[in-house]
Amino acid sequence: MPLKILITGATGGLGSSTLHHLQHTLSIPTSSLAASSSSPSKASDFNSIGIPFRHADFSSPASLLSAFNGIENLLFVSTNTLDHARRQQQHQNVVDAAVKAGVKHVWYTSLAFDGREEVGTSKAMFQIAHQGTELMLKRAGEEHGLRYTILRMGAYADAWPLFCAWYPGQESVRVPVPEEGERGQAFATREELAEGVARLLVEGVPGEGVVVGSATKTGSEVGVGRTLLLTGPRAVTLREIVQAANEGHPAGDIRFESVSPKDYVRVNSEHDQGGKPSMFFDAMLSYYDAVTAGDLDVVDPLLEKVLGRRPIDGVEFVRKVMAETEGVYTWHQNSELASQY
């Protein structure tokens, strides 16, 4: 039976990259893949390259049930809404539909704030919503036999401008981390995380004897009911990230300033080029608190094993992209997030 994989959020960054690696890096035939989005208008984008499209609106249980019909492996890419209650309902809709449709295995993209903890305890706002979804999957596993794997992913190295509240041409980075003793973060690039996810979907965890199409195991039959941590090869600080930005584009001279939480919110909300309000920067304080607590400094070797090579770390990535863009590197969420407030 063909390995059937459905990617939710297939028009987003992680979903589209994972789909690309399934098709082009791992040579999975398009007949075994499917892409989904909440926007039916995206169907032609995938149909034109031979990938079946399924409409999946996380707020519409009926659309989810239809989209998941006949699917073996579901890559459940979390929604990006900042409305916690709405997000929890949407994610419950996905889990319920997966159970009703008989999906064989759900792979959920979480974040790495909780490291290897079985039950997450991080207070980071971004992680709390994931903790709720992780519990939904565990309950579905216990009550309905749903097979699932939680993929806790390191912070995107690509998103460093968001974490540093920085835009091209800006002379200073002002963030509320300690002047001394800042904890590191095991940043990973979105592209390598996507490739890692694609390989896990198809090949499973290295060393477990998984071969696609074998009579014994497939990627969908490993990692059942467990949590996997995907991170970069070392933890680096935001101070090191800014230093790397200056090294990548020597003509720039970005100053790194450790400021109080109050000053971080005030200064960045007053001068944010993307128009994000103080409410956003207030919410970001829980991220910096989590960094200070060491929530993101756990390094796990799994991504390197899955890729078969050492992943690029945060410093290497920032130095590289600043050189390639001559100091005008941008991250889309810096501007897009303003519309959610």
Side-chain angles (χ1 to χ4, degrees):
M1 180 181 231
L3 181 70
K4 294 191 178 297
I5 301 172
L6 174 67
I7 309 296
T8 71
T11 58
L14 180 67
S16 62
S17 291
T18 301
L19 192 60
H20 173 85
H21 283 293
L22 287 167
Q23 183 180 7
H24 299 288
T25 305
L26 299 172
S27 301
I28 301 300
T30 56
S31 59
S32 293
L33 301 173
S36 72
S37 167
S38 61
S39 176
S41 64
K42 300 294 184 180
S44 60
D45 296 345
F46 298 100
N47 292 335
S48 64
I49 57 175
I51 296 178
F53 176 83
R54 299 188 178 190
H55 175 228
D57 183 341
F58 283 13
S59 295
S60 169
S63 77
L64 294 171
L65 190 59
S66 176
F68 298 168
N69 182 46
I71 295 300
E72 295 182 3
N73 282 281
L74 171 66
L75 179 61
F76 175 9
V77 179
S78 58
T79 182
N80 62 1
T81 179
L82 298 178
D83 183 330
H84 181 74
R86 182 184 179 206
R87 186 179 201 171
Q88 290 299 284
Q89 184 58 62
Q90 289 180 328
H91 284 194
Q92 187 66 65
N93 291 342
V94 173
V95 174
D96 290 345
V99 170
K100 291 178 182 177
V103 171
K104 290 188 177 181
H105 197 123
V106 176
W107 305 73
Y108 175 65
T109 60
S110 184
L111 293 175
F113 287 92
D114 286 317
R116 300 187 185 94
E117 294 182 19
E118 178 64 25
V119 178
T121 59
S122 176
K123 304 302 182 186
M125 180 194 74
F126 304 108
Q127 187 67 22
I128 290 174
H130 289 293
Q131 290 167 354
T133 308
E134 290 182 9
L135 288 174
M136 291 175 199
L137 289 166
K138 291 173 183 178
R139 282 195 300 268
E142 294 169 357
E143 297 173 7
H144 304 287
L146 180 69
R147 303 161 71 90
Y148 67 88
T149 299
I150 295 165
L151 303 169
R152 289 183 181 162
M153 301 186 183
Y156 287 172
D158 320 54
W160 70 269
L162 183 69
F163 303 137
C164 290
W166 179 85
Y167 293 85
Q170 189 172 309
E171 296 180 351
S172 297
V173 162
R174 302 178 179 91
V175 290
V177 296
E179 186 68 37
E180 296 183 5
E182 179 191 350
R183 301 287 289 269
Q185 303 176 60
F187 291 107
T189 67
R190 185 174 67 185
E191 188 64 29
E192 288 191 317
L193 286 168
E195 182 183 346
V197 170
R199 290 187 178 279
L200 283 168
L201 283 166
V202 174
E203 301 168 347
V205 178
E208 297 191 358
V210 179
V211 179
V212 176
S214 73
T216 55
K217 293 183 179 179
T218 68
S220 67
E221 294 176 305
V222 299
V224 177
R226 81 211 270 190
T227 299
L228 304 178
L229 183 61
L230 300 173
T231 73
R234 68 182 180 117
V236 300
T237 65
L238 292 178
R239 190 180 301 271
E240 290 176 298
I241 290 292
V242 172
Q243 180 181 343
N246 287 329
E247 292 169 353
H249 185 239
D253 186 18
I254 308 168
R255 296 188 303 275
F256 185 92
E257 299 180 27
S258 178
V259 299
S260 69
K262 181 178 179 181
D263 285 344
Y264 162 78
V265 173
R266 177 184 58 80
V267 172
N268 288 299
S269 59
E270 289 176 355
H271 303 287
D272 185 67
Q273 295 179 33
K276 297 187 292 296
S278 60
M279 189 184 305
F280 168 82
F281 294 100
D282 276 324
M284 280 293 291
L285 291 177
S286 71
Y287 157 75
Y288 297 106
D289 287 343
V291 170
T292 299
D295 287 4
L296 289 172
D297 68 357
V298 179
V299 175
D300 193 284
L302 180 58
L303 182 59
E304 182 169 350
K305 291 179 181 178
V306 170
L307 296 177
R309 65 178 186 275
R310 179 187 182 277
I312 188 171
D313 66 44
V315 162
E316 294 164 341
F317 174 82
V318 172
R319 189 183 294 128
K320 176 175 179 288
V321 296
M322 285 295 278
E324 291 175 345
T325 62
E326 298 184 346
V328 292
Y329 178 78
T330 59
W331 178 248
H332 65 97
Q333 286 181 319
N334 247 354
S335 298
E336 294 174 2
L337 283 171
S339 65
Q340 295 198 35
Y341 289 88

